């Protein structure tokens, strides 16, 4: 029977020889992640179930990233709850306030390998599909069930395979590709579908670039984002993990597979305009003054993004009246940026460099915007109130556009 990647992975996880789209399966979970913001509700629900010990403390990963260091008494209390839970349950894979954003550090620290089922109490858990895993966000009460049993039911999704072909122009990046796709498909165009990214353009992309694509699959309603493992994937995984794994690839004649062709040869930098991620326009059609630039997040806070921005900012100054926040996605990224002199470039240009964390992305931590202010962000969502005041506006772009715009004081292309 011909199957997609998702069908094959979920079949393996549910001890079946096959599965098909629409089928309900009970899958064994390989990795379960919760963090400082959603974790306390998972712990509360787990305690209500009455199970004394989690099913496998070695398969649970708990990073602190959303409000670190604690910026309120509520946040500090959440940290206390999770630290006590970690200690009580003997969870070794705990990363306190200094490690970075969950979706960056899980692959960095070897917790993600191809063929696994990974769940997290965060909608952008789909990021990990860039390494060939079936990875998706779940609710905190569902996570309590995972903590207790190590299993969770899934409806096997249909698959949209985006066959991306063409050579990206200079200053056009993976962020522009995925924004363009979301603009075409719409915010609900891939609801509960697995979004595969394939084609020659994806083959040329780095693992970090592929993470950008998979990270934003949820923004068009996707259940997960996936890239078939290749040599780049295997080199990345083997350099960071000693876990055994199995590689799955999609059969192109699978009944549940839909293929959508995307040509990126003429693509220019893209901007998601307020207040929806699918409100996408070419940068040449957007001429908006800005108050703040946010370079970071699980979408574009990697070392490649910081390098792109630093190349543009070097020798330049951020425009008067514009604040720029640079927030590396992890400690590893931060140290690389230090070693390469990128932090000096950011500080000398007038940017504020913060500790690795989610920053203003979730609207609950550092760098919020006020009423009437405009933020240009390299993150993944621009809903009303997402980065602070509901009367503010958030635009989304690549790191290169963000840096160029910080210098000009308005949204412009990096050329």
């Amino acid at each position: 029977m011909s199957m997609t990647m998702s069908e094959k992975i979920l079949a393996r996880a549910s001890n079946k020889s096959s599965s098909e789209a629409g089928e309900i399966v009970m899958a064994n979970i390989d990795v379960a992640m919760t963090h400082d913001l959603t974790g306390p509700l998972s712990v509360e629900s787990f305690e209500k179930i009455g199970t004394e010990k989690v099913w496998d403390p070695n398969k649970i990963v708990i990073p602190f990233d959303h409000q670190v260091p604690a910026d309120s008494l509520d946040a500090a209390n959440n940290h206390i709850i999770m630290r006590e839970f970690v200690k009580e349950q003997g969870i070794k894979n705990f990363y306190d306030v200094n490690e970075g954003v969950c979706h960056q550090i899980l692959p960095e620290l070897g917790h993600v390998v191809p063929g696994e089922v990974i769940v997290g109490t965060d909608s952008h858990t789909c990021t990990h599909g860039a390494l060939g895993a079936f990875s998706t966000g779940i609710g905190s009460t569902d996570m309590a069930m995972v903590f207790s049993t190590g299993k969770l039911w899934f409806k096997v999704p249909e698959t949209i395979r985006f066959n991306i072909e063409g050579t990206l122009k200079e200053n056009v990046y993976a962020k522009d590709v995925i924004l363009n796709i979301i603009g075409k498909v719409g915010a609900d165009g891939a609801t509960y579908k697995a979004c595969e990214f394939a084609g020659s353009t994806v083959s040329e992309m780095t693992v970090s670039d592929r993470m950008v694509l998979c990270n934003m699959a949820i923004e068009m309603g996707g259940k997960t984002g996936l890239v078939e493992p290749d040599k780049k994937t295997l080199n990345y995984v083997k350099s960071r993990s000693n876990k055994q794994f199995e590689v799955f690839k999609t059969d192109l004649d699978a009944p549940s597979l839909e293929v959508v062709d995307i040509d990126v040869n003429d693509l220019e930098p893209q901007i998601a305009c307020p207040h929806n991620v699918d409100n996408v326009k070419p940068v040449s059609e957007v001429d908006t003054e800005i108050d703040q630039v946010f370079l970071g997040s699980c979408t574009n806070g990697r070392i490649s993004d910081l390098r792109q921005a630093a190349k543009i900012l070097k020798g330049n100054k951020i425009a008067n009246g514009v604040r720029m926040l640079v927030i590396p996605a992890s400690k590893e990224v931060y140290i690389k940026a230090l070693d390469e002199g990128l932090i000096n470039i950011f500080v000398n240009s007038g940017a504020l460099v913060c500790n690795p964390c989610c920053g203003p992305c979730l609207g609950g931590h550092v760098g919020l915007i006020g009423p009437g202010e405009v933020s240009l962000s390299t993150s993944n969502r621009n809903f009303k109130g997402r980065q602070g005041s509901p009367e503010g506006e958030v635009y989304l772009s690549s790191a290169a556009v963000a840096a160029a715009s910080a210098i000009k004081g308005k949204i412009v292309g990096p050329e």
Side-chain angles (χ1 to χ4, degrees), residues 316-327:
N316 290 299
K317 293 291 184 182
I318 293 166
N320 289 332
V322 175
R323 313 179 297 273
M324 182 172 185
L325 280 69
V326 178
I327 306 183

Side-chain angles (χ1 to χ4, degrees), residues 330-393:
S330 71
K331 181 172 68 176
E332 178 180 310
V333 173
Y334 198 117
I335 291 172
K336 284 183 179 178
L338 281 168
D339 292 342
E340 295 178 18
L342 306 185
I343 301 298
N344 286 343
I345 293 172
F346 295 135
V347 173
N348 288 332
S349 70
L352 176 66
V353 181
C354 303
N355 61 291
C357 66
C358 295
C361 179
L362 67 149
H365 199 31
V366 297
L368 305 187
I369 59 172
E373 290 194 311
V374 175
S375 169
L376 178 62
S377 174
T378 65
S379 58
N380 43 43
R381 285 189 177 148
N382 62 346
F383 310 145
K384 276 190 176 183
R386 176 68 184 180
Q387 290 187 16
S389 172
E391 285 79 46
E393 293 186 337

Side-chain angles (χ1 to χ4, degrees), residues 93-378:
N93 301 314
F94 168 57
Y95 304 102
D96 214 312
V97 297
N98 63 335
E99 199 66 49
V101 182
C102 57
H103 308 308
Q104 179 67 14
I105 68 172
L106 258 68
E108 271 186 2
L109 299 178
H111 297 294
V112 179
V113 298
E116 292 192 332
V117 174
I118 301 170
V119 294
T121 54
D122 189 292
S123 58
H124 293 104
T125 303
C126 51
T127 306
H128 307 311
L131 297 179
F134 184 91
S135 189
T136 191
I138 63 173
S140 294
T141 50
D142 285 333
M143 184 58 77
M145 194 64 183
V146 173
F147 283 172
S148 182
T149 67
K151 301 176 183 293
L152 194 64
W153 70 267
F154 294 90
K155 184 175 80 169
V156 181
E158 297 177 340
T159 295
I160 300 178
R161 185 181 176 97
F162 294 99
N163 185 50
I164 307 169
E165 300 288 344
T167 302
L168 296 177
K169 294 179 180 178
E170 186 179 5
N171 295 319
V172 177
Y173 299 96
K175 182 63 163 289
D176 303 303
V177 173
I178 190 61
L179 287 178
N180 181 254
I181 290 173
I182 294 169
K184 290 177 177 178
V185 173
D188 58 356
T191 298
Y192 208 90
K193 294 187 178 182
C195 300
E196 285 188 20
F197 301 99
S200 61
T201 310
V202 178
S203 296
E204 291 297 315
M205 287 182 177
T206 64
V207 170
S208 289
D209 292 333
R210 297 170 186 182
M211 288 183 186
V212 177
L213 302 179
C214 293
N215 176 272
M216 296 192 69
I218 185 66
E219 307 309 332
M220 49 185 163
K223 181 65 174 175
T224 188
L226 295 141
V227 177
E228 288 185 352
D230 59 8
K231 187 175 181 180
K232 291 179 182 178
T233 314
L234 300 183
N235 288 341
Y236 181 95
V237 170
K238 290 177 180 178
S239 70
R240 294 177 179 272
S241 180
N242 57 10
K243 291 200 288 185
Q244 298 297 310
F245 59 86
E246 185 176 358
V247 170
F248 296 96
K249 297 192 176 185
T250 287
D251 301 321
L252 295 181
D253 60 345
S256 66
L257 180 66
E258 175 189 357
V259 178
V260 175
D261 292 321
I262 304 289
D263 186 339
V264 297
N265 279 304
D266 296 323
L267 189 67
E268 67 173 281
Q270 305 284 292
I271 306 292
C273 302
H275 292 283
N276 295 292
V277 183
D278 61 353
N279 183 17
V280 178
K281 299 178 182 178
V283 70
S284 59
E285 296 180 14
V286 182
D287 184 25
T288 303
E289 293 187 354
I290 55 178
D291 299 288
Q292 178 169 294
V293 172
F294 167 39
L295 171 59
S297 84
C298 59
T299 316
N300 286 114
R302 301 180 182 89
I303 191 63
S304 56
D305 303 297
L306 271 57
R307 287 169 181 159
Q308 292 163 20
K311 182 178 178 182
I312 293 169
L313 286 167
K314 188 174 183 178
N316 290 299
K317 293 291 184 182
I318 293 166
N320 289 332
V322 175
R323 313 179 297 273
M324 182 172 185
L325 280 69
V326 178
I327 306 183
S330 71
K331 181 172 68 176
E332 178 180 310
V333 173
Y334 198 117
I335 291 172
K336 284 183 179 178
L338 281 168
D339 292 342
E340 295 178 18
L342 306 185
I343 301 298
N344 286 343
I345 293 172
F346 295 135
V347 173
N348 288 332
S349 70
L352 176 66
V353 181
C354 303
N355 61 291
C357 66
C358 295
C361 179
L362 67 149
H365 199 31
V366 297
L368 305 187
I369 59 172
E373 290 194 311
V374 175
S375 169
L376 178 62
S377 174
T378 65

Side-chain angles (χ1 to χ4, degrees), residues 23-77:
E23 180 183 358
I24 304 297
V25 298
M26 183 64 76
N28 294 305
I29 303 302
D30 296 293
V31 178
M33 184 279 296
T34 193
H35 50 61
D36 56 305
L37 192 62
T38 54
L41 181 56
S42 298
V43 170
E44 179 184 342
S45 299
F46 173 75
E47 290 173 347
K48 286 180 179 178
I49 292 173
T51 307
E52 291 187 4
K53 290 292 182 180
V54 297
W55 102 102
D56 189 340
N58 295 320
K59 292 186 177 182
I60 296 173
V61 185
I62 299 180
F64 284 0
D65 62 353
H66 273 59
Q67 292 175 285
V68 298
D71 62 337
S72 67
L73 289 177
D74 285 342
N77 188 55

